[in-house]
Amino acid sequence: MSDRKRIVVLGSTGSIGTQTLDVARRHADKLEVVGLAVNARADELLAQARAFGVRHLAVGDERLSREPIADELAAHVESAKPEGTASSLAEAFAQRGEGTLGFGADAVVDLVRLPEADIVVNALVGAAGLRASYETLAAGKVLALANKESLVVGGDLIMPMAAEPGRLMPIDSEHGAIYQCLLGENPREVSRLWVTASGGPFRGRTRADLEGITPAAALAHPTWNMGAKISIDSSTLMNKGLEVIEAHHLFAMPYDRISVVVQPQSAIHSMVEFTDGSVKAHLGTTDMRIPIQFALSYPDRWDAPVAPLDFTKLGSLEFAPADTDTFRCLALARAAGERGGTLPCVMNAANEVAVAAFLAEEGSYLGIAACVEAVMDAHERAGVQRVESLEQLEALDAWARQEARKNVR
């Protein structure tokens, strides 16, 4: 019987997903990939499935079920079945189960219930990841979470399911850093969480400077290599606002004790300040494989997946306050978190629509914050609700997206 941890990767062709598979490749003696899910990159999914011998696959885009790639995926799942005599086949299937291939959002979520899976890496982009996170915890699996919206939108539902230590492992560099700084500490002795920000590509600019910003300019992050949506969020500092809400849920910390500080070198991934004035900082190379690996190896630490940080070449460390007047998304996200209830859900949906419009050159850069604020205001006028169910959040998400499309500017 293998003692390897068996993982399912949702969003396996994205930035976090591919780096997760890189960690799995490096530590093949400790990790086995048993399920992979993508939204639409089915060709890449097939290549990954062949490389890792994965027999449980899902594609979110149902339209691809009618394309030739569906037949290739099905052939892989079929060929990856155990071979042997009738009696040995029965035993093999009893141990391993048959391979599966599904299309659509439900098929992606179904992978989290695989009996052989121990850990689910949720690297889905956007609010679509919330149900997957919920069902992962409901199925008794460990949730390695890279999907910010799970906690931003549904933290009130998710966190009560993850009370047991180690059930929810944050993959974010910032939250992974805070998690590690808190190991062995008394939570009651924590006075402040410091969430670090690189400042993005427009650090130091004024609002006037941001008029006419193009998607290409906003995608050019100075220190991290990320997907398009998260890169835009990083440039507007919305990403940091989402992380503040996540930190509130993950570490049960009031918003007035969570601060954002700009650290342009991205060497300090976050800090924890204690009641006696001591501060723990987590430093490391700017490579997401480090927090990904820790989320998968916990409570152990494995050999580093990248070259360690060379302090003799690091030079100086700079710190500055975040400019919430210029980058209004950070202030809007914090306001949504402080108000709580269903407002973060609405804020997040509006941001997703506004960012997509900007990337499609249908909306402006400064229009992202304006759109988010307009939808938040509309929801507050209608009445913010207490979070009660996934269905409630999904309905409000749909309403907010429709409202946001009216406010793209």
Side-chain angles (χ1 to χ4, degrees):
M1 187 72 175
S2 172
D3 59 357
R4 292 187 295 173
K5 295 181 178 181
R6 296 164 299 182
I7 65 173
V8 169
V9 185
L10 307 181
S12 64
T13 57
S15 175
I16 295 297
T18 54
Q19 290 178 90
T20 298
L21 293 181
D22 192 52
V23 171
R25 186 180 294 106
R26 179 182 176 86
H27 295 287
D29 59 325
K30 301 180 180 73
L31 295 171
E32 178 184 1
V33 184
V34 298
L36 295 170
V38 301
N39 179 42
R41 297 180 190 171
D43 290 332
E44 294 175 46
L45 171 67
L46 180 59
Q48 291 176 340
R50 287 171 172 165
F52 287 88
V54 181
R55 302 162 46 255
H56 298 285
L57 309 175
V59 179
D61 189 340
E62 291 187 67
R63 294 171 297 181
L64 292 174
S65 65
R66 298 183 292 275
E67 298 294 327
I69 187 62
D71 294 330
E72 293 186 64
L73 290 168
H76 167 76
V77 167
E78 184 71 22
S79 67
K81 288 180 179 179
E83 297 179 356
T85 64
S87 58
S88 64
L89 272 177
E91 183 179 345
F93 278 124
Q95 292 174 347
R96 297 178 57 190
E98 293 197 29
T100 57
L101 170 64
F103 291 84
D106 289 344
V108 172
V109 174
D110 284 343
L111 284 186
V112 312
R113 304 187 188 93
L114 284 175
E116 58 263 52
D118 303 310
I119 304 171
V120 174
V121 177
N122 186 351
L124 297 173
V125 176
L130 171 57
R131 185 171 288 275
S133 290
Y134 184 92
E135 296 296 344
T136 295
L137 293 170
K141 317 291 187 184
V142 171
L143 173 62
L145 185 61
N147 172 263
K148 293 181 181 301
E149 292 76 11
S150 290
L151 295 181
V152 171
V153 176
D156 291 340
L157 297 177
I158 295 294
M159 290 313 299
M161 304 171 71
E164 182 184 342
R167 282 294 308 283
L168 196 169
M169 297 299 298
I171 280 181
D172 243 349
S173 63
E174 293 81 2
H175 302 108
I178 292 170
Y179 192 101
Q180 294 182 61
C181 287
L182 290 173
L183 289 175
E185 298 288 354
N186 184 342
R188 292 187 295 275
E189 295 174 351
V190 175
S191 60
R192 183 163 300 277
L193 304 180
W194 287 93
V195 179
T196 56
S198 69
F202 307 132
R203 179 172 58 90
R205 305 271 189 100
T206 65
R207 283 183 63 78
D209 295 332
L210 299 180
E211 291 279 358
I213 286 293
T214 64
L219 288 169
H221 195 278
T223 52
W224 291 101
N225 179 22
M226 305 175 292
K229 195 269 182 181
I230 196 171
S231 293
I232 300 302
D233 282 350
S234 180
S235 76
T236 65
L237 295 196
M238 174 59 86
N239 199 42
K240 218 46 54 177
L242 300 182
E243 288 171 6
V244 166
I245 298 174
E246 283 184 283
H248 163 75
H249 287 294
L250 280 169
F251 307 112
M253 187 64 61
Y255 283 97
D256 61 0
R257 289 164 57 193
I258 304 174
S259 295
V260 173
V261 61
V262 174
Q263 206 286 294
Q265 292 78 24
S266 295
I268 296 179
H269 298 146
S270 275
M271 301 175 285
V272 175
E273 183 178 333
F274 296 91
T275 51
D276 65 353
S278 300
V279 178
K280 274 188 179 181
H282 180 283
L283 289 80
T285 305
T286 54
D287 193 301
M288 283 303 299
R289 286 172 292 182
I290 294 175
I292 290 168
Q293 181 171 298
F294 182 76
L296 298 176
S297 70
Y298 178 84
D300 301 324
R301 291 184 187 272
W302 301 336
D303 292 344
V306 295
L309 187 65
D310 186 344
F311 288 95
T312 65
K313 297 177 181 176
L314 180 59
S316 62
L317 292 173
E318 303 170 64
F319 300 92
D323 180 359
T324 53
D325 291 329
T326 300
F327 301 96
R328 293 178 54 246
C329 282
L330 173 55
L332 289 170
R334 183 183 281 273
E338 290 173 346
R339 177 67 174 83
T342 52
L343 192 56
C345 169
V346 165
M347 175 274 298
N348 176 76
N351 180 64
E352 286 191 22
V353 169
V355 168
F358 170 65
L359 286 170
E361 300 185 354
E362 296 167 359
S364 68
Y365 185 75
L366 291 179
I368 295 173
C371 177
V372 171
E373 186 169 27
V375 178
M376 285 175 61
D377 287 346
H379 185 51
E380 289 194 276
R381 288 194 299 271
V384 176
Q385 306 162 28
R386 180 175 173 269
V387 174
E388 295 176 348
S389 69
L390 285 178
E391 292 70 25
Q392 170 206 28
L393 292 172
E394 287 168 353
L396 274 172
D397 177 270
W399 171 85
R401 288 173 191 277
Q402 187 176 29
E403 192 71 17
R405 291 184 191 104
K406 303 174 189 174
N407 286 277
V408 169
R409 55 195 70 176

